[in-house]
Amino acid sequence: MKADYLSWGRYPILEQRGRVFLNRKLPVNLDGSSYLPRGLGRSYGDVCLSQGGDLLLSKSLDNFISFDKENGILRAEAGVSLEEILKIIVPAGFFLPVTPGTKFVSLGGAVANDVHGKNHHCSGTFGRFVKSLRLWRSDMGFVDCSPTENKDLFEATISGLGLTGFITEVEFELKKINNHLIDVETHTFKNLDEFFELSKRLSLIYEYTVAWLDCLSSAKNFRGVFFAGRHAEVKNVDIPLRKKSLPLSFPFNFPKWALNNYSMRCFNEAYFRLQSGKAEKSQTHYDPFFYPLDGVKNWNRMYGACGFTQFQCVLPNKNQHASLKRLLGIVANSRRASFLTVLKEFGAIESPGLLSFPRAGDTICLDFSLKDRKAFTFVKDLEEFVCSEGGALYPAKDAFMQADSFKLFYPNWERFSKQIDPAVKSCFWDRVFNV
Amino acid sequence: MSELNDELNIVIFGATSAIAIATARLWAEQSANLFLVARSDEKLEVLKQDLKARGANKVITYIADLQDLSNYSNIYFELNQEFPVIDIVLIAQAVLGDQQESENDSDLLLKEMELNFLGPVKLCNDLVKRMLESNRGTLAVISSVAGDRGRKSNYHYGSAKGALSLYLQGLRNRTANTAVKVLTIKPGFVDTPMTENFKKGLLFVQPEVIARGIAKAIQDKKDIVYLPWFWYFIMLIIKIIPEKIFKKMSI
């Protein structure tokens, strides 16, 4: 089956047709078809897939519009990638106010998923820094939205997964920095209590915090590495701004047995030892700190043709993080290896979008290969667990959540549904919304 | 370089074509001064905003239909006002027409030849004089691998580009003992609006790849550059095939 347009998890696979939104000033003639906006296709599940609609691509909208260096405000077309933005703003002394774990997402995608990053506990989500945006809708044409203009549509479009229309332009605030380096503090931890102690202490003094977790450890103790960072005041090392991009790439799918419990245990062991040896404090270029996986193109192919799902949830942290501990116990007992497990405490800053995922609590990100049928039931069980604990799943990563779960996770769903562009068709929305 | 600072003065004809935009963006990041000539005022306005945001020092736009050769002197007048000295000229205008149509319509064929060959030749002939006076600068002209050999599927476009390559070769010979460089750029298959209706195979690259190649070739003071590099070898083979055989081929 021709598969030009996949999602990052390479599951599900559907035949898709793409057309390009050519010009930010010219409306599109849909000729009666439905559509779904699509940027760089880095969401994992099916939020960027459409059954029966055309994928309306933002790749031609790659122009910057204005860069106000006095006030740190950038306006650009929605197809510009965060990578392109960084190339322009960093030499001028600015950084993204919030960045996800990859820079290969479009500006429109960052808004549509209301992305979050390692600084959530200080800064909240990307949507908080959006001053205004322009949207194209099949029923309204071009509409400008901001916290003061078309506020309902604005709140729905941030985190709106493209369902409210095609974002053409975004204006947002930048963050001032002194240089392109990050001061990093690294710690290993032997169990979750140590993790929470580190998180509590270091989140007060570092803007960026995250932990990688080895969840193949025994069911009682989870070891891992904690990273804390902040933009460097002073350069202590000589690292050039522009570096050559790594030639590493996965040009084809790995066989599905390549990533298994044994290979992952070896990797985890090696990685843990490597990090244990590292100096506690160091200075690094921003790129490997924020985007460690971007150095290997197409890393998602490592999971093979069967694809994978990235399970990201947020769980309430009451009762000494009991929910998280129980979840990790379930995962460890399942013997299902998660190659990249990331853990962070979200802050309490309210997210601006009606379908925004981040909220106060513990967030964990797990990858599961979809190589056997039982994987699907396992993910379903995890979803039920999240529902029962009062947590939520992240649409940008999801390929499975059911309608009932969706309504629990996103109580604003009804308000949101009123803002949808009638011509949009999305696999995700088909699945989670039944009237 | 302008006398007072390091910003290059760069003029681009056909500035809103995909390869020209990608190259202009690279130069904008280096704070260049850019004089952009193209037909569409709307596209030029979008491009100007984009290049300024990316770091261009000065961006001057000039609306002109390069199909109309009689208009060029007006462009030069404006250009002389803005750039006392020119560092780089990039000639990027071209049209890939429907050969079925132009085979049946000689007037259409000649119009396309005007844009693809005569226009660039006029620009080179006029601008090289200025550049020789100041004894600096690079004339970089986008030709094509299609100009290396006449093939029945594409010889209308190909022959214009071939003639252009030959003209540039002569010009290069003329200017060889001066500081003025003449660069012939020969891209292969590029994913742009020009090739919209082509089936995109493995050999297609993005305009950004060509742009990096152009900027580097100018920096390295090259004479002829095939982009990407492997087209040099492909065309070497194409050119070696004896005419007796080639004339019967369908590629």
Side-chain angles (χ1 to χ4, degrees):
Chain A
M1 181 188 284
K2 199 161 188 279
D4 279 330
Y5 301 103
L6 298 177
S7 59
W8 194 245
R10 304 170 79 80
Y11 177 87
I13 298 187
L14 292 164
E15 214 168 279
Q16 302 282 249
R17 202 171 48 218
R19 54 193 289 191
V20 181
F21 200 112
L22 283 172
N23 185 316
R24 71 171 183 260
K25 306 207 176 142
L26 291 177
V28 169
N29 185 357
L30 290 173
D31 292 321
S33 21
S34 345
Y35 76 97
L36 179 68
R38 180 174 168 121
L40 290 167
R42 290 300 290 255
S43 7
Y44 289 73
D46 57 0
V47 291
C48 57
L49 301 173
S50 176
Q51 181 93 45
D54 292 342
L55 295 177
L56 196 49
L57 308 169
S58 64
K59 65 180 191 174
S60 281
L61 296 187
D62 63 351
N63 289 292
F64 286 87
I65 302 173
S66 65
F67 181 11
D68 175 357
K69 292 184 192 175
E70 284 289 312
N71 299 305
I73 304 205
L74 185 70
R75 189 178 182 95
E77 291 178 352
V80 173
S81 70
L82 298 188
E83 186 210 9
E84 287 284 303
I85 292 174
L86 285 166
K87 266 203 308 196
I88 305 301
I89 64 176
V90 172
F94 292 98
F95 203 76
L96 296 166
V98 167
T99 178
T102 169
K103 54 190 189 287
F104 299 128
V105 301
S106 64
L107 184 52
V111 172
N113 292 282
D114 197 15
V115 295
H116 61 273
K118 300 178 175 51
N119 63 350
H120 185 270
H121 60 285
C122 299
S123 303
T125 61
F126 189 87
R128 292 188 71 240
F129 298 89
V130 174
K131 296 180 74 69
S132 72
L133 54 91
R134 180 165 294 174
L135 201 62
W136 177 84
R137 287 176 59 108
S138 67
D139 55 354
M140 293 164 73
F142 291 103
V143 190
D144 286 316
C145 314
S146 73
T148 50
E149 190 184 358
N150 293 312
K151 186 166 185 277
D152 292 339
L153 190 51
F154 184 71
E155 281 178 342
T157 303
I158 295 183
S159 78
L161 308 171
L163 297 164
T164 62
F166 188 96
I167 301 173
T168 54
E169 301 176 32
V170 178
E171 186 168 307
F172 67 103
E173 279 171 46
L174 303 170
K175 168 218 242 11
K176 260 206 102 30
I177 53 171
N178 282 341
N179 55 56
H180 58 287
L181 302 178
I182 307 289
D183 289 327
V184 187
E185 199 175 310
T186 318
H187 293 268
T188 50
F189 54 88
K190 292 195 296 300
N191 55 54
L192 280 181
D193 289 330
E194 278 186 23
F195 162 78
F196 284 112
E197 189 272 324
L198 283 166
S199 180
K200 187 169 165 197
R201 182 165 58 84
L202 295 174
S203 298
L204 292 172
I205 50 177
Y206 283 95
E207 184 179 353
Y208 300 103
T209 60
V210 76
W212 159 80
L213 198 67
D214 175 1
C215 62
L216 290 176
S217 313
S218 69
K220 278 214 181 105
N221 295 323
F222 290 92
R223 62 180 186 176
V225 186
F226 193 96
F227 300 94
R230 65 165 82 92
H231 293 283
E233 290 287 318
V234 171
K235 284 196 233 187
N236 294 331
V237 292
D238 188 17
I239 301 176
L241 172 56
R242 289 285 154 97
K243 55 183 192 60
K244 268 184 170 285
S245 53
L246 292 171
L248 295 178
S249 174
F250 282 95
F252 47 80
N253 288 327
F254 269 24
K256 66 181 183 184
W257 47 260
L259 273 191
N260 55 57
N261 274 7
Y262 305 104
S263 60
M264 287 202 209
R265 278 187 149 203
C266 289
F267 174 85
N268 286 351
E269 185 66 39
Y271 189 72
F272 185 78
R273 283 170 194 260
L274 180 71
Q275 296 299 334
S276 301
K278 273 206 175 134
E280 253 200 26
K281 290 191 179 173
S282 58
Q283 211 173 58
T284 175
H285 190 291
Y286 70 79
D287 204 274
F289 178 76
F290 289 106
Y291 313 114
L293 285 177
D294 282 354
V296 186
K297 289 198 191 304
N298 302 319
W299 62 262
N300 54 340
R301 301 190 98 122
M302 187 168 71
Y303 284 91
C306 54
F308 69 104
T309 185
Q310 183 160 100
F311 185 87
Q312 178 166 8
C313 66
V314 58
L315 293 167
N317 53 17
K318 56 184 196 279
N319 300 330
Q320 321 273 344
H321 312 278
S323 303
L324 176 70
K325 290 174 179 168
R326 271 210 291 283
L327 177 77
L328 285 170
I330 297 173
V331 171
N333 287 335
S334 75
R335 315 298 297 150
R336 282 184 185 275
S338 167
F339 189 56
L340 297 152
T341 307
V342 174
L343 183 56
K344 183 181 169 53
E345 286 192 90
F346 274 153
I349 300 179
E350 211 182 304
S351 301
L354 295 180
L355 298 187
S356 289
F357 163 71
R359 59 204 74 179
D362 305 324
T363 186
I364 183 162
C365 227
L366 302 136
D367 289 350
F368 298 114
S369 162
L370 293 172
K371 58 185 170 192
D372 57 81
R373 288 234 55 85
K374 290 223 184 94
F376 292 80
T377 35
F378 177 64
V379 171
K380 195 162 179 299
D381 292 341
L382 289 181
E383 178 183 322
E384 274 169 27
F385 175 80
V386 172
C387 285
S388 63
E389 299 293 302
L393 291 179
Y394 188 15
K397 308 224 167 152
D398 175 73
F400 303 109
M401 83 168 88
Q402 297 299 298
D404 293 335
S405 312
F406 172 71
K407 289 176 180 147
L408 268 178
F409 301 152
Y410 297 100
N412 288 319
W413 63 272
E414 223 172 353
R415 257 179 75 199
F416 175 78
S417 66
K418 298 190 167 61
Q419 301 297 334
I420 293 182
D421 180 338
V424 168
K425 192 146 199 321
S426 145
C427 283
F428 174 80
W429 194 246
D430 288 343
R431 187 159 44 76
V432 304
F433 186 70
N434 43 34
V435 182
Chain B
M1 317 267 176
S2 68
E3 304 308 306
L4 299 169
N5 46 37
D6 278 333
E7 293 125 9
L8 296 176
N9 286 346
I10 303 177
V11 51
I12 307 181
F13 294 91
T16 53
S17 64
I19 294 175
I21 289 177
T23 322
R25 283 174 170 171
L26 285 181
W27 286 323
E29 285 169 31
Q30 293 163 27
S31 312
N33 299 318
L34 295 155
F35 186 101
L36 309 171
V37 183
R39 224 177 357 172
S40 157
D41 57 346
E42 222 189 82
K43 286 191 189 167
L44 273 177
E45 197 45 46
V46 167
L47 181 57
K48 179 175 179 171
Q49 284 181 312
D50 176 62
L51 295 174
K52 289 233 71 162
R54 287 175 193 263
N57 187 47
K58 251 201 308 187
V59 180
I60 305 121
T61 57
Y62 190 96
I63 302 163
D65 185 353
L66 292 166
Q67 183 82 60
D68 179 4
L69 273 63
S70 65
N71 211 9
Y72 285 16
S73 42
N74 295 332
I75 308 177
Y76 303 149
F77 182 75
E78 204 55 44
L79 182 57
N80 290 341
Q81 312 277 67
E82 298 288 349
F83 288 172
V85 175
I86 302 175
D87 294 302
I88 298 175
V89 175
L90 179 65
I91 298 179
Q93 78 266 28
V95 61
L96 179 59
D98 178 347
Q99 195 169 278
Q100 300 262 6
E101 262 200 79
S102 47
E103 280 177 3
N104 287 322
D105 182 347
S106 294
D107 290 331
L108 179 61
L109 169 59
L110 293 181
K111 274 202 94 59
E112 289 172 2
M113 288 270 174
E114 239 178 351
L115 188 68
N116 290 342
F117 174 59
L118 294 180
V121 159
K122 180 170 166 54
L123 288 171
C124 289
N125 206 40
D126 294 332
L127 291 170
V128 77
K129 280 187 292 193
R130 257 193 77 186
M131 293 167 86
L132 286 170
E133 273 164 31
S134 50
N135 196 27
R136 76 200 257 156
T138 301
L139 253 175
V141 184
I142 302 183
S143 177
S144 170
V145 296
D148 277 16
R149 186 142 200 182
R151 301 176 292 126
K152 70 178 176 190
S153 62
N154 200 14
Y155 68 102
H156 283 191
Y157 177 81
S159 59
K161 291 299 198 182
L164 184 56
S165 296
L166 206 63
Y167 169 83
L168 293 168
Q169 197 164 46
L171 192 61
R172 189 174 305 120
N173 195 189
R174 169 183 165 193
T175 58
N177 292 328
T178 72
V180 175
K181 302 290 304 171
V182 177
L183 172 65
T184 309
I185 302 159
K186 295 186 177 182
F189 295 141
V190 192
D191 182 12
T192 68
M194 184 185 258
T195 56
E196 211 168 28
N197 295 321
F198 284 45
K199 193 166 181 285
K200 299 284 153 75
L202 278 173
L203 292 175
F204 275 83
V205 297
Q206 293 302 309
E208 287 72 27
V209 173
I210 307 297
R212 283 197 293 273
I214 294 174
K216 189 160 192 302
I218 293 175
Q219 218 174 359
D220 295 347
K221 301 196 197 297
K222 292 246 152 71
D223 298 323
I224 300 176
V225 67
Y226 285 84
L227 295 171
W229 57 271
F230 52 76
W231 281 99
Y232 174 80
F233 297 100
I234 297 176
M235 298 320 290
L236 199 60
I237 296 174
I238 300 274
K239 284 190 283 193
I240 282 178
I241 301 172
E243 186 70 2
K244 236 176 151 179
I245 298 173
F246 196 88
K247 70 181 180 184
K248 300 214 185 103
M249 289 170 75
S250 280
I251 46 162

